[in-house]
Amino acid sequence: MTPLLSVQGITKRYGAHIGCADVSFELFPGEVMGIVGESGSGKSTLLNCLAGHVRPDTGAVIFDTRADGPRDTVTMSEPERRMLGRTDWAFVHQNARDGLRMGVSAGGNVGERLMAVGARHYGDIRDTATDWLERVEVDAARIDDRPTTFSGGMQQRLQIARNLVTGPRLVFMDEPTGGLDVSVQARLLDLLRGLVRDMGLSAIIVTHDLAVVRLLADRLMVMKSGRVVEAGLTDQVLDDPQHAYSQLLVSSVLQV
Ligand SMILES: Nc1ncnc2c1ncn2[C@@H]1O[C@H](COP(=O)(O)OP(=O)(O)OP(=O)(O)O)[C@@H](O)[C@H]1O
């Protein structure tokens, strides 16, 4: 099987400082990869390199495109990469405000993504937006309200609807449950787990919350000082960590 994403030797430095170093892995269709590590370990830098937000110094990120098969997204043109970002890729930010248009209605936020992939019929777009609001447990009666009037948890669920409505083939998530109350986190996690299962999503999830990867990720990479120190099946890594740092992480000795 062709990997959906093949990451080869990604390195990003900030001056003399290492963001992430020599990261390689493959992601297959329908797989969820979790990336964990303490603050500053390079998780966000890596995710941003993979999603095309940051250009790595070296390495390749080969994505199996629908039209042309495997292509290196690092060297493809900016318009091509932007097109991927609107169609096959989705990015769920920790802060919903970074992933939503706060001045546009909830329905508009979802509908906009559909229009970006060619939907034109207003009634169909509104119907799909209504379906998705319900799917992410946002009251459909709020379809014309702006996200500024929503709670943090609702905003995050709306951001997820906006991202998933077009059926992306790869979803990047940066701390999707971060910054929310614990009870809100639990509900969101449950919802995400349902969507990941039902849609057979391929995803890369960065988090410092081991409960998130335990529930969502098939495989796990543990990062420390920009490098991957351990990788494997999630249950294996969490239940029987081999690297001393992973052992600390799992035993919650580390403040992550
Ligand atoms: N724009 C930047 N300029 C300089 N150094 C940076 C920049 N962004 C990140 N770094 C450094 O790169 C390293 C990796 O940071 P990164 O944000 O990727 O880690 P992280 O694991 O995502 O942390 P957090 O969980 O706190 O977001 C850190 O040492 C950080 O200080």
Side-chain angles (χ1 to χ4, degrees):
M1 197 196 296
T2 311
L4 184 63
L5 195 74
S6 174
V7 177
Q8 303 170 357
I10 289 294
T11 296
K12 169 70 191 168
R13 288 191 184 79
Y14 301 103
H17 211 88
I18 288 178
C20 65
D22 200 21
V23 178
S24 301
F25 68 94
E26 287 182 336
L27 184 81
F28 288 88
E31 249 189 337
V32 178
M33 172 71 85
I35 304 175
V36 297
E38 66 191 330
S39 182
S41 57
K43 307 182 297 293
S44 303
T45 299
L46 175 61
L47 192 73
N48 283 317
C49 286
L50 302 182
H53 298 164
V54 166
R55 191 183 171 94
D57 301 326
T58 56
V61 178
I62 315 283
F63 179 70
D64 187 17
T65 64
R66 275 185 233 239
D68 305 318
R71 296 271 319 274
D72 184 4
T73 64
V74 174
T75 53
M76 73 173 39
S77 70
E78 184 58 35
E80 282 180 296
R81 214 171 20 243
R82 241 183 283 131
M83 178 57 88
L84 271 184
R86 282 201 300 269
T87 56
D88 275 352
W89 288 359
F91 197 104
V92 176
H93 297 264
Q94 170 173 358
N95 188 343
R97 286 169 175 268
D98 295 333
L100 290 173
R101 292 226 287 137
M102 300 305 280
V104 172
S105 69
N109 265 286
V110 179
E112 223 175 36
R113 270 285 285 200
L114 285 168
M115 289 171 72
V117 294
R120 287 292 171 264
H121 187 271
Y122 177 79
D124 290 348
I125 293 172
R126 197 169 167 92
D127 287 349
T128 307
T130 306
D131 281 351
W132 266 93
L133 290 184
E134 284 168 351
R135 236 172 133 171
V136 298
E137 298 163 10
V138 171
D139 183 356
R142 305 288 304 267
I143 189 166
D144 295 317
D145 295 350
R146 293 185 179 186
T148 39
T149 65
F150 288 7
S151 68
M154 279 170 76
Q155 286 181 2
Q156 194 56 307
R157 295 200 301 277
L158 179 63
Q159 190 197 181
I160 289 165
R162 175 179 163 97
N163 270 284
L164 299 188
V165 66
T166 49
R169 292 168 63 221
L170 177 57
V171 186
F172 301 98
M173 299 191 203
D174 191 1
E175 300 277 7
T177 60
L180 298 169
D181 289 348
V182 172
S183 63
V184 177
Q185 276 185 17
R187 231 175 108 211
L188 185 67
L189 201 49
D190 222 36
L191 179 78
L192 270 176
R193 186 168 58 160
L195 290 169
V196 163
R197 274 202 198 136
D198 294 350
M199 298 178 75
L201 285 180
S202 308
I204 300 178
I205 304 179
V206 157
T207 181
H208 60 252
D209 186 343
L210 298 183
V212 171
V213 284
R214 174 76 86 177
L215 270 183
L216 296 179
D218 305 303
R219 285 193 293 141
L220 196 57
M221 296 195 312
V222 181
M223 291 188 73
K224 179 181 189 298
S225 309
R227 295 181 184 275
V228 175
V229 294
E230 183 163 354
L233 295 174
T234 302
D235 289 344
Q236 255 169 33
V237 175
L238 293 184
D239 294 340
D240 187 20
Q242 299 298 307
H243 192 281
Y245 176 78
S246 316
Q247 290 166 1
L248 283 178
L249 201 69
V250 170
S251 65
S252 305
V253 173
L254 279 177
Q255 200 68 42
V256 290

